[in-house]
Amino acid sequence: MTAPDPVHIESAANPLLKELRRLLRDPGAYRRTGRVWVEGDHLCRAALQRGVRPAAALFAASCWAAQQGKWAGAAARTMVVDDALWPALSTLESPAPMGFVIDLPPAPLPQAGIATVVLDRVQDAGNVGSILRSAAAFGFGQVLALKGTAALWSPKVLRAGMGAHFGLRLVEGASATDVAALGVPAVATSSHQGQWLHAARLPHPCAWLMGHEGQGVGDELQALAAAHVRIAQPGGEESLNVAAAAAICLHASAAQALNSPG
């Protein structure tokens, strides 16, 4: 079946362009529209590799002229946007010349019994995206985001996640009750209690609790932790960035699981 011809957009008043500009201005707008703007070659290819069928593919006119053979038929609809209109579809200083509009995946319920990362009011979008990337890399297939955490499908989190979104079970608006119902031990980092991470025997699967950049994990979640661990910092810094701490902890879990007999 032949792919339909692309639609050319030459007006800033086009309804789709107006919707995409709203998605860029408001990190949580995807919850109302049910659609997500995925910007750039890398993220778009990551979506396709995970079986995502975009609702629409958009290209700057100059990009489409050079690369149409590589992307023809990738989406249900193809839009070619006048080059002068394209910069408004990005918050980047050098905008990527193509992107996908995808339907927001149905909101999953938390799944018990699997390796999980819990985000407790982690507010920085870059930190959240980086943690999602580490979760995917180290086999933690589910992420629960409690209220106050940066919007998981916002453009900045998507960019920082580098495609991890499409391989994870992402649950927004989760609660401490959901964490308690996971049925796996919860583990929290601490600067003042627990074993050193490098010497601790870590449960697997488990739920790693990652907290607010300044306040850490809240009291309600701390009470659910079956274990606390400390990350050795011989250089003497007071604390680690939450995304760096998450990468260290998730790698430690994955490494122990790989080395466990059977």
Side-chain angles (χ1 to χ4, degrees), residues 2 15 34 38 46 48 131 137-138 144 148 192 200 202 206 218 225 236-237 243-244 246 252:
T2 305
V38 177
L48 292 177
I131 293 171
F138 298 126
L144 269 57
H192 61 277
L202 300 171
C206 70
E237 291 299 318

Side-chain angles (χ1 to χ4, degrees), residues 113-118 139-142 182-188 202-209 226 249-250 253-254:
I114 64 173
T116 301
V117 177
V118 178
F140 284 73
Q142 177 171 250
L182 288 174
V184 296
V187 184
L202 300 171
H204 193 81
C206 70
W208 275 101
L209 310 179
C249 293
L250 300 184
S253 278

